[in-house]
């Protein structure tokens, strides 16, 4: 991204040695399709539920805690919502404790780690692809594959409003750009 290139220049890299190569997505794997009943059954999911999906490793810098903090307002607005966390990681225990502390267990489901080849299934199950990037210097130059994978499946995203993200997409044009740490803004997107 331009933001990342600027950061590298500030660290002393010569501009002429920098090239921006945009991320992409394999549209032979990630595309819009109907998910079979067997997949819903395999993961204990309900077809009529509106799933907000987070996919990937779970670390503090992934912002899953912001999704949990916003959940009560989302549930108030849509009682048919569930939060599906596809992945695992070093911060999962903290996330589970936060969910329990807020008595939200019945609204959250964890799949554990799944094979990457199954990710298109979850992006097609998702009503919303939640990418709650925190506002931190390390995320300012980041645009994650998760955004592109969901978009290729026709799934709108809620994503942290970072400079690099704004290079790729405009607010309300396939994604809602929010300050992830603001639970009201995240919940109302």
């Amino acid at each position: 991204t331009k933001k990342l290139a600027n950061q590298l220049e500030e660290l002393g890299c010569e501009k002429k040695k920098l090239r921006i190569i945009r991320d992409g997505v394999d549209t032979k794997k990630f595309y819009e399709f109907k998910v079979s009943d067997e997949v819903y059954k395999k993961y204990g999911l309900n077809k009529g539920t509106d799933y907000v999906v987070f996919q990937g490793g779970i670390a503090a810098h992934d912002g899953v805690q912001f999704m949990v903090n916003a959940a009560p307002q989302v549930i108030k607005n849509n009682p048919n919502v569930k939060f599906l966390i596809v992945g695992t990681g070093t911060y999962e225990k903290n996330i589970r404790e936060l969910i329990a502390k807020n008595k939200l267990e019945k609204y959250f489901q964890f799949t554990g780690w799944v094979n990457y080849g199954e990710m298109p299934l979850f992006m097609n199950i998702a009503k919303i692809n939640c990418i709650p990037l925190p506002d931190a210097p390390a995320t300012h130059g980041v645009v994650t594959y998760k955004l592109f994978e969901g978009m290729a499946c026709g799934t709108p995203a809620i994503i942290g409003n970072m400079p690099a993200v704004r290079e790729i997409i405009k607010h309300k044009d396939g994604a809602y750009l929010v300050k992830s740490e603001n639970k009201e803004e995240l919940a109302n997107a």
Side-chain angles (χ1 to χ4, degrees):
T1 62
K2 290 178 188 174
K3 178 65 177 173
L4 190 55
N6 291 340
Q7 288 173 330
L8 289 170
E9 281 184 63
E10 289 171 11
L11 293 172
C13 289
E14 293 180 47
K15 186 174 185 165
K16 67 181 180 181
K17 291 185 178 182
L18 295 173
R19 299 284 180 269
I20 297 171
I21 301 172
R22 301 279 184 201
D23 290 336
V25 63
D26 185 347
T27 55
K28 290 184 174 113
K29 294 179 182 175
F30 288 90
Y31 58 91
E32 207 167 335
F33 61 86
K34 185 176 188 264
V35 177
S36 72
D37 293 343
E38 291 78 31
V39 172
Y40 281 89
K41 186 176 179 182
K42 176 180 177 181
Y43 289 100
L45 305 174
N46 298 315
K47 273 192 123 167
T49 299
D50 294 333
Y51 286 101
V52 175
V53 175
F54 171 87
Q55 60 149 315
I58 304 170
H61 66 268
D62 291 309
V64 181
Q65 64 275 22
F66 306 130
M67 185 171 80
V68 176
N69 291 336
Q73 183 63 42
V74 174
I75 294 162
K76 183 179 175 186
N77 294 341
N78 180 0
N80 191 43
V81 74
K82 292 240 172 151
F83 298 86
L84 182 61
I85 299 175
V86 181
T88 189
T90 57
Y91 204 64
E92 181 178 340
K93 181 178 182 236
N94 302 72
I95 296 300
R96 287 182 181 271
E97 288 170 356
L98 184 59
I99 291 166
K101 177 182 170 189
N102 290 289
K103 299 178 178 28
L104 296 169
E105 296 92 339
K106 75 178 190 174
Y107 295 101
F108 277 82
Q109 186 170 343
F110 290 77
T111 64
W113 203 257
V114 299
N115 182 303
Y116 181 72
E118 292 187 304
M119 230 27 90
L121 300 169
F122 293 103
M123 286 296 93
N124 277 285
I125 288 170
K127 179 86 167 184
I128 296 288
N129 178 16
C130 190
I131 312 164
L133 295 172
D135 186 3
T139 61
H140 287 184
V142 172
V143 178
T144 174
Y145 285 107
K146 299 173 198 182
L147 174 63
F148 302 120
E149 292 166 351
M151 290 174 73
C153 293
T155 305
I158 296 174
I159 187 167
N161 189 3
M162 300 299 110
V165 172
R166 290 191 303 269
E167 288 179 29
I168 304 298
I169 194 161
K170 292 182 180 359
H171 180 60
K172 295 187 180 179
D173 187 16
Y176 292 86
L177 281 56
V178 300
K179 181 164 179 57
S180 298
E181 296 89 340
N182 182 321
K183 65 183 178 183
E184 288 83 17
E185 190 174 330
L186 185 58
N188 292 318

